[in-house]
Amino acid sequence: MDRVYASRIAAGGAALAAGVAVSYALYFDYRRRHDAVFRKQLAQKNQVVQKKAQQGQADTLAVLKRAVALIRAESYDLGEREQYFMEQVGLGEMAITQGPEYYVAAALAFFRALKSYPAPQDLLGIYRGTQPPAVFALVMELIRLDLMPSPTDPRDVTSGAILTEIDPAAASNGLADPPEQVL
């Protein structure tokens, strides 16, 4: 008899909790629809959250750009390439196990490993299947940033100085400076 009584109390408590949750949801919805001040407060809170999210994304992008610049400047001995690769993959795996707040560090380690790997396309296929989607997206963003030429990058063939070194006639034709965009 004691067991039946305990199960009835648990069922009653669960029903009461569900009723309170539904009542609060109805009250919240009523206030949202009929109280202008409450709507305004909700909108302000939403704007603050969106601004913080955009600032966080901008900060992350700035960190990734700086990291790509530093990784471009890194050099390693080709004889130690395999050891460097394994070390970076290990660091990335360890960062992933520490949680989502370490995903940027993990992506940077995987990107370094990718830069040292002889067949990067194959490694990207492995990353796609084994890494969390957020980490893979960060690695892809790092690749995109790495492919974008920087103003001082000698790979940037649209730079006026590099273009005049390659073709002096381009400077006299006005092609040394990149064309302006027409809006």
Side-chain angles (χ1 to χ4, degrees):
M1 193 73 172
D2 196 24
R3 251 174 125 175
V4 172
Y5 183 68
S7 67
R8 282 187 179 175
I9 290 177
L16 180 65
V20 167
V22 168
S23 297
Y24 180 74
L26 291 172
Y27 168 72
F28 181 83
D29 186 52
Y30 177 81
R31 279 198 64 198
R32 183 183 57 84
R33 289 179 186 218
H34 298 297
D35 188 357
V37 174
F38 186 70
R39 270 195 311 268
K40 189 180 239 183
Q41 289 173 345
L42 285 177
Q44 288 173 348
K45 287 179 184 178
N46 191 20
Q47 287 176 351
V48 168
V49 168
Q50 286 180 353
K51 285 181 182 179
K52 285 183 180 181
Q54 289 174 349
Q55 181 63 36
Q57 290 174 347
D59 290 346
T60 301
L61 185 61
V63 166
L64 293 179
K65 284 182 179 180
R66 179 72 179 136
V68 166
L70 291 173
I71 291 171
R72 281 180 181 169
E74 285 181 359
S75 63
Y76 51 89
D77 184 20
L78 291 178
E80 298 173 354
R81 184 182 228 170
E82 184 177 347
Q83 179 183 356
Y84 180 79
F85 169 77
M86 294 303 290
E87 178 181 308
Q88 293 303 315
V89 169
L91 288 173
E93 291 291 335
M94 189 170 60
I96 285 177
T97 61
Q98 293 179 354
E101 59 272 6
Y102 291 94
Y103 279 1
V104 172
L108 289 171
F110 288 129
F111 179 68
R112 283 186 181 104
L114 182 74
K115 295 280 284 182
S116 68
Y117 197 70
Q121 290 84 7
D122 297 340
L123 189 58
L124 276 176
I126 294 169
Y127 284 172
R128 181 178 291 122
T130 59
Q131 304 309 323
V135 174
F136 183 72
L138 285 170
V139 171
M140 294 305 290
E141 180 67 17
L142 286 166
I143 292 169
R144 186 187 69 79
L145 291 172
D146 186 42
L147 294 176
M148 288 177 52
S150 69
T152 59
D153 191 356
R155 296 180 292 178
D156 183 4
V157 295
T158 61
S159 170
I162 301 298
L163 189 57
T164 56
E165 285 179 18
I166 296 171
D167 185 11
S172 63
N173 293 338
L175 297 176
D177 295 323
E180 294 181 20
Q181 293 182 344
V182 178
L183 298 176

